mmCIF file with all atom_site columns, all heavy atoms in Angstrom:
data_model
loop_
_atom_site.group_PDB
_atom_site.id
_atom_site.type_symbol
_atom_site.label_atom_id
_atom_site.label_alt_id
_atom_site.label_comp_id
_atom_site.label_asym_id
_atom_site.label_entity_id
_atom_site.label_seq_id
_atom_site.pdbx_PDB_ins_code
_atom_site.Cartn_x
_atom_site.Cartn_y
_atom_site.Cartn_z
_atom_site.occupancy
_atom_site.B_iso_or_equiv
_atom_site.pdbx_formal_charge
_atom_site.auth_seq_id
_atom_site.auth_comp_id
_atom_site.auth_asym_id
_atom_site.auth_atom_id
_atom_site.pdbx_PDB_model_num
ATOM 1  N N   . GLY A 1 85 ? -24.078 -20.663 -81.217 1.00 83.00 ? 248 GLY A N   1
ATOM 2  C CA  . GLY A 1 85 ? -22.849 -19.925 -81.508 1.00 83.00 ? 248 GLY A CA  1
ATOM 3  C C   . GLY A 1 85 ? -22.913 -18.455 -81.080 1.00 83.00 ? 248 GLY A C   1
ATOM 4  O O   . GLY A 1 85 ? -21.992 -17.652 -81.413 1.00 83.00 ? 248 GLY A O   1
ATOM 5  N N   . ASN A 1 86 ? -23.951 -18.067 -80.296 1.00 87.00 ? 249 ASN A N   1
ATOM 6  C CA  . ASN A 1 86 ? -23.993 -16.672 -79.868 1.00 87.00 ? 249 ASN A CA  1
ATOM 7  C C   . ASN A 1 86 ? -22.905 -16.346 -78.945 1.00 87.00 ? 249 ASN A C   1
ATOM 8  O O   . ASN A 1 86 ? -22.582 -17.129 -78.038 1.00 87.00 ? 249 ASN A O   1
ATOM 9  C CB  . ASN A 1 86 ? -25.369 -16.402 -79.124 1.00 87.00 ? 249 ASN A CB  1
ATOM 10 C CG  . ASN A 1 86 ? -26.532 -16.493 -80.086 1.00 87.00 ? 249 ASN A CG  1
ATOM 11 O OD1 . ASN A 1 86 ? -26.455 -16.660 -81.259 1.00 87.00 ? 249 ASN A OD1 1
ATOM 12 N ND2 . ASN A 1 86 ? -27.711 -16.357 -79.480 1.00 87.00 ? 249 ASN A ND2 1
ATOM 13 N N   . LEU A 1 87 ? -22.329 -15.152 -79.123 1.00 91.00 ? 250 LEU A N   1
ATOM 14 C CA  . LEU A 1 87 ? -21.333 -14.629 -78.195 1.00 91.00 ? 250 LEU A CA  1
ATOM 15 C C   . LEU A 1 87 ? -21.896 -13.364 -77.568 1.00 91.00 ? 250 LEU A C   1
ATOM 16 O O   . LEU A 1 87 ? -22.675 -12.699 -78.147 1.00 91.00 ? 250 LEU A O   1
ATOM 17 C CB  . LEU A 1 87 ? -20.029 -14.346 -79.018 1.00 91.00 ? 250 LEU A CB  1
ATOM 18 C CG  . LEU A 1 87 ? -19.373 -15.418 -79.685 1.00 91.00 ? 250 LEU A CG  1
ATOM 19 C CD1 . LEU A 1 87 ? -18.157 -14.951 -80.530 1.00 91.00 ? 250 LEU A CD1 1
ATOM 20 C CD2 . LEU A 1 87 ? -18.905 -16.537 -78.754 1.00 91.00 ? 250 LEU A CD2 1
ATOM 21 N N   . ILE A 1 88 ? -21.344 -13.109 -76.371 1.00 92.00 ? 251 ILE A N   1
ATOM 22 C CA  . ILE A 1 88 ? -21.798 -11.893 -75.606 1.00 92.00 ? 251 ILE A CA  1
ATOM 23 C C   . ILE A 1 88 ? -20.653 -10.905 -75.545 1.00 92.00 ? 251 ILE A C   1
ATOM 24 O O   . ILE A 1 88 ? -19.492 -11.236 -75.160 1.00 92.00 ? 251 ILE A O   1
ATOM 25 C CB  . ILE A 1 88 ? -22.275 -12.295 -74.233 1.00 92.00 ? 251 ILE A CB  1
ATOM 26 C CG1 . ILE A 1 88 ? -23.545 -13.139 -74.332 1.00 92.00 ? 251 ILE A CG1 1
ATOM 27 C CG2 . ILE A 1 88 ? -22.514 -10.987 -73.366 1.00 92.00 ? 251 ILE A CG2 1
ATOM 28 C CD1 . ILE A 1 88 ? -24.765 -12.422 -74.872 1.00 92.00 ? 251 ILE A CD1 1
ATOM 29 N N   . LEU A 1 89 ? -20.897 -9.625  -75.888 1.00 95.00 ? 252 LEU A N   1
ATOM 30 C CA  . LEU A 1 89 ? -19.930 -8.601  -75.654 1.00 95.00 ? 252 LEU A CA  1
ATOM 31 C C   . LEU A 1 89 ? -20.459 -7.850  -74.485 1.00 95.00 ? 252 LEU A C   1
ATOM 32 O O   . LEU A 1 89 ? -21.361 -7.007  -74.615 1.00 95.00 ? 252 LEU A O   1
ATOM 33 C CB  . LEU A 1 89 ? -19.846 -7.665  -76.898 1.00 95.00 ? 252 LEU A CB  1
ATOM 34 C CG  . LEU A 1 89 ? -18.975 -6.467  -76.803 1.00 95.00 ? 252 LEU A CG  1
ATOM 35 C CD1 . LEU A 1 89 ? -17.509 -6.867  -76.757 1.00 95.00 ? 252 LEU A CD1 1
ATOM 36 C CD2 . LEU A 1 89 ? -19.217 -5.517  -78.006 1.00 95.00 ? 252 LEU A CD2 1
ATOM 37 N N   . PRO A 1 90 ? -19.976 -8.049  -73.223 1.00 94.00 ? 253 PRO A N   1
ATOM 38 C CA  . PRO A 1 90 ? -20.556 -7.420  -72.076 1.00 94.00 ? 253 PRO A CA  1
ATOM 39 C C   . PRO A 1 90 ? -20.154 -5.988  -72.018 1.00 94.00 ? 253 PRO A C   1
ATOM 40 O O   . PRO A 1 90 ? -18.982 -5.607  -72.068 1.00 94.00 ? 253 PRO A O   1
ATOM 41 C CB  . PRO A 1 90 ? -19.936 -8.204  -70.896 1.00 94.00 ? 253 PRO A CB  1
ATOM 42 C CG  . PRO A 1 90 ? -18.707 -8.816  -71.451 1.00 94.00 ? 253 PRO A CG  1
ATOM 43 C CD  . PRO A 1 90 ? -18.914 -8.986  -72.913 1.00 94.00 ? 253 PRO A CD  1
ATOM 44 N N   . VAL A 1 91 ? -21.159 -5.120  -71.904 1.00 95.00 ? 254 VAL A N   1
ATOM 45 C CA  . VAL A 1 91 ? -20.951 -3.655  -71.801 1.00 95.00 ? 254 VAL A CA  1
ATOM 46 C C   . VAL A 1 91 ? -21.824 -3.113  -70.721 1.00 95.00 ? 254 VAL A C   1
ATOM 47 O O   . VAL A 1 91 ? -23.086 -3.205  -70.809 1.00 95.00 ? 254 VAL A O   1
ATOM 48 C CB  . VAL A 1 91 ? -21.265 -2.944  -73.161 1.00 95.00 ? 254 VAL A CB  1
ATOM 49 C CG1 . VAL A 1 91 ? -21.074 -1.442  -73.054 1.00 95.00 ? 254 VAL A CG1 1
ATOM 50 C CG2 . VAL A 1 91 ? -20.422 -3.483  -74.328 1.00 95.00 ? 254 VAL A CG2 1
ATOM 51 N N   . ARG A 1 92 ? -21.267 -2.701  -69.680 1.00 93.00 ? 255 ARG A N   1
ATOM 52 C CA  . ARG A 1 92 ? -22.049 -2.140  -68.546 1.00 93.00 ? 255 ARG A CA  1
ATOM 53 C C   . ARG A 1 92 ? -22.308 -0.632  -68.792 1.00 93.00 ? 255 ARG A C   1
ATOM 54 O O   . ARG A 1 92 ? -21.337 0.146   -69.119 1.00 93.00 ? 255 ARG A O   1
ATOM 55 C CB  . ARG A 1 92 ? -21.210 -2.233  -67.204 1.00 93.00 ? 255 ARG A CB  1
ATOM 56 C CG  . ARG A 1 92 ? -21.305 -3.477  -66.535 1.00 93.00 ? 255 ARG A CG  1
ATOM 57 C CD  . ARG A 1 92 ? -20.626 -3.413  -65.171 1.00 93.00 ? 255 ARG A CD  1
ATOM 58 N NE  . ARG A 1 92 ? -21.511 -2.756  -64.195 1.00 93.00 ? 255 ARG A NE  1
ATOM 59 C CZ  . ARG A 1 92 ? -21.113 -1.897  -63.290 1.00 93.00 ? 255 ARG A CZ  1
ATOM 60 N NH1 . ARG A 1 92 ? -19.877 -1.581  -63.090 1.00 93.00 ? 255 ARG A NH1 1
ATOM 61 N NH2 . ARG A 1 92 ? -22.013 -1.346  -62.473 1.00 93.00 ? 255 ARG A NH2 1
ATOM 62 N N   . VAL A 1 93 ? -23.585 -0.236  -68.639 1.00 93.00 ? 256 VAL A N   1
ATOM 63 C CA  . VAL A 1 93 ? -23.889 1.174   -68.787 1.00 93.00 ? 256 VAL A CA  1
ATOM 64 C C   . VAL A 1 93 ? -24.811 1.680   -67.623 1.00 93.00 ? 256 VAL A C   1
ATOM 65 O O   . VAL A 1 93 ? -25.078 2.885   -67.525 1.00 93.00 ? 256 VAL A O   1
ATOM 66 C CB  . VAL A 1 93 ? -24.683 1.464   -70.147 1.00 93.00 ? 256 VAL A CB  1
ATOM 67 C CG1 . VAL A 1 93 ? -23.691 1.168   -71.279 1.00 93.00 ? 256 VAL A CG1 1
ATOM 68 C CG2 . VAL A 1 93 ? -25.893 0.644   -70.244 1.00 93.00 ? 256 VAL A CG2 1
ATOM 69 N N   . LEU A 1 94 ? -25.290 0.764   -66.763 1.00 90.00 ? 257 LEU A N   1
ATOM 70 C CA  . LEU A 1 94 ? -26.110 1.150   -65.654 1.00 90.00 ? 257 LEU A CA  1
ATOM 71 C C   . LEU A 1 94 ? -25.608 0.618   -64.310 1.00 90.00 ? 257 LEU A C   1
ATOM 72 O O   . LEU A 1 94 ? -24.961 -0.437  -64.320 1.00 90.00 ? 257 LEU A O   1
ATOM 73 C CB  . LEU A 1 94 ? -27.535 0.632   -65.807 1.00 90.00 ? 257 LEU A CB  1
ATOM 74 C CG  . LEU A 1 94 ? -28.333 1.137   -66.998 1.00 90.00 ? 257 LEU A CG  1
ATOM 75 C CD1 . LEU A 1 94 ? -29.619 0.357   -67.122 1.00 90.00 ? 257 LEU A CD1 1
ATOM 76 C CD2 . LEU A 1 94 ? -28.534 2.612   -66.994 1.00 90.00 ? 257 LEU A CD2 1
ATOM 77 N N   . GLY A 1 95 ? -25.811 1.375   -63.283 1.00 88.00 ? 258 GLY A N   1
ATOM 78 C CA  . GLY A 1 95 ? -25.396 0.923   -61.945 1.00 88.00 ? 258 GLY A CA  1
ATOM 79 C C   . GLY A 1 95 ? -26.511 1.020   -61.001 1.00 88.00 ? 258 GLY A C   1
ATOM 80 O O   . GLY A 1 95 ? -27.715 0.825   -61.331 1.00 88.00 ? 258 GLY A O   1
ATOM 81 N N   . LYS A 1 96 ? -26.228 1.352   -59.732 1.00 87.00 ? 259 LYS A N   1
ATOM 82 C CA  . LYS A 1 96 ? -27.313 1.495   -58.760 1.00 87.00 ? 259 LYS A CA  1
ATOM 83 C C   . LYS A 1 96 ? -28.266 2.628   -59.063 1.00 87.00 ? 259 LYS A C   1
ATOM 84 O O   . LYS A 1 96 ? -27.817 3.728   -59.399 1.00 87.00 ? 259 LYS A O   1
ATOM 85 C CB  . LYS A 1 96 ? -26.628 1.796   -57.384 1.00 87.00 ? 259 LYS A CB  1
ATOM 86 C CG  . LYS A 1 96 ? -25.907 0.694   -56.719 1.00 87.00 ? 259 LYS A CG  1
ATOM 87 C CD  . LYS A 1 96 ? -25.215 1.153   -55.366 1.00 87.00 ? 259 LYS A CD  1
ATOM 88 C CE  . LYS A 1 96 ? -24.614 0.040   -54.680 1.00 87.00 ? 259 LYS A CE  1
ATOM 89 N NZ  . LYS A 1 96 ? -25.506 -0.361  -53.567 1.00 87.00 ? 259 LYS A NZ  1
ATOM 90 N N   . CYS A 1 97 ? -29.497 2.277   -59.114 1.00 86.00 ? 260 CYS A N   1
ATOM 91 C CA  . CYS A 1 97 ? -30.561 3.292   -59.349 1.00 86.00 ? 260 CYS A CA  1
ATOM 92 C C   . CYS A 1 97 ? -30.485 3.905   -60.710 1.00 86.00 ? 260 CYS A C   1
ATOM 93 O O   . CYS A 1 97 ? -30.826 5.075   -60.914 1.00 86.00 ? 260 CYS A O   1
ATOM 94 C CB  . CYS A 1 97 ? -30.511 4.338   -58.232 1.00 86.00 ? 260 CYS A CB  1
ATOM 95 S SG  . CYS A 1 97 ? -32.141 5.221   -58.047 1.00 86.00 ? 260 CYS A SG  1
#
Side-chain angles (χ1 to χ4, degrees):
N249 293 357
L250 300 175
I251 296 292
L252 176 68
V254 179
R255 277 188 78 218
V256 295
L257 298 175
K259 288 176 171 259
C260 203

